[in-house]
Amino acid sequence: MKRTYVVASLAVFFSLVPGATAAQEEARRAGFWVSVGLGAGVTTDDVAPDESHWGGAGFVRAGGVPDEHVVLGTELMGWVTDQNDVVTSRGVWTLFVQYYPSRTGGLFFKGGLGAAGVSFTTDLNPGHLVTTNGGFGMSLGGGYEFRLSPIVSLTTNADWALQVIDDSAGGTDTSSLFLVTVGLTFPRIG
């Protein structure tokens, strides 16, 4: 039975390779696009610089293509963890530029500026206490798109996001998010 799964998996893999190779050779980027993904990340901040917290991560991106080397868009990156009965959520929303060195290659680099937010939800018995603050956000990152077909790519990402959040005491809290995600990109919507 195990051998059947291995043979079937290899057959599917090798049947996709020629299509993926052909898809890489055609024009890569045009029109409106959307990308979504999930992964993991770690955050550090200036309040406790020696501590880092791991959690789940995700992103949603959308935009347009003015040039085959350049993509313009908006992105929402998020991170969440649940530790010691406190759910911490961090997010960065940016307007960004994504640059592809090659017209047909999948390697890209990106950077954006925008807003950031953090939310702490504490379980009280009964109910919850939610504290939310906002501020400035920016991101830098890169990744690679593996074209699976003319209408979908598997996208790997490594991102760093900076948050400068106004805290409740009138100061600022500076945090860094390091996210690794995998998603699907739909490069030609509409």
Side-chain angles (χ1 to χ4, degrees):
M1 188 67 147
K2 186 176 180 182
R3 183 179 299 181
T4 303
Y5 288 125
V6 170
V7 170
S9 298
L10 288 172
V12 168
F13 173 76
F14 285 113
S15 69
L16 292 175
V17 170
T21 304
Q24 291 286 357
E25 293 172 1
E26 64 185 53
R28 304 254 321 142
R29 293 165 279 280
F32 180 73
W33 59 271
V34 173
S35 186
V36 295
L38 295 172
V42 64
T43 184
T44 61
D45 63 37
D46 61 358
V47 174
D50 295 333
E51 293 182 24
S52 59
H53 302 283
W54 285 90
F59 70 87
V60 176
R61 293 185 201 124
V65 181
D67 179 271
E68 288 186 336
H69 291 280
V70 177
V71 168
L72 301 176
T74 185
E75 175 177 43
L76 178 61
M77 286 189 273
W79 171 89
V80 64
T81 191
D82 184 352
Q83 296 180 355
N84 303 322
D85 295 324
V86 177
V87 176
T88 304
S89 304
R90 293 187 174 275
V92 176
W93 168 79
T94 62
L95 296 174
F96 72 93
V97 175
Q98 189 162 299
Y99 175 72
Y100 294 83
S102 169
R103 184 181 68 79
T104 58
L107 179 68
F108 65 85
F109 303 98
K110 66 185 182 78
L113 298 173
V118 62
S119 173
F120 301 99
T121 304
T122 306
D123 282 334
L124 302 175
N125 206 358
H128 302 286
L129 172 64
V130 178
T131 305
T132 303
N133 294 310
F136 169 77
M138 67 175 282
S139 66
L140 295 172
Y144 197 89
E145 288 181 1
F146 298 93
R147 183 61 62 101
L148 300 177
S149 76
I151 61 168
V152 66
S153 296
L154 181 69
T155 307
T156 59
N157 303 277
D159 292 297
W160 167 76
L162 175 70
Q163 294 184 305
V164 181
I165 304 289
D166 298 326
D167 67 17
S168 304
T172 58
D173 172 25
T174 304
S175 300
S176 290
L177 297 170
F178 301 96
L179 309 177
V180 176
T181 53
V182 176
L184 294 176
T185 299
F186 303 93
R188 295 185 187 120
I189 305 296

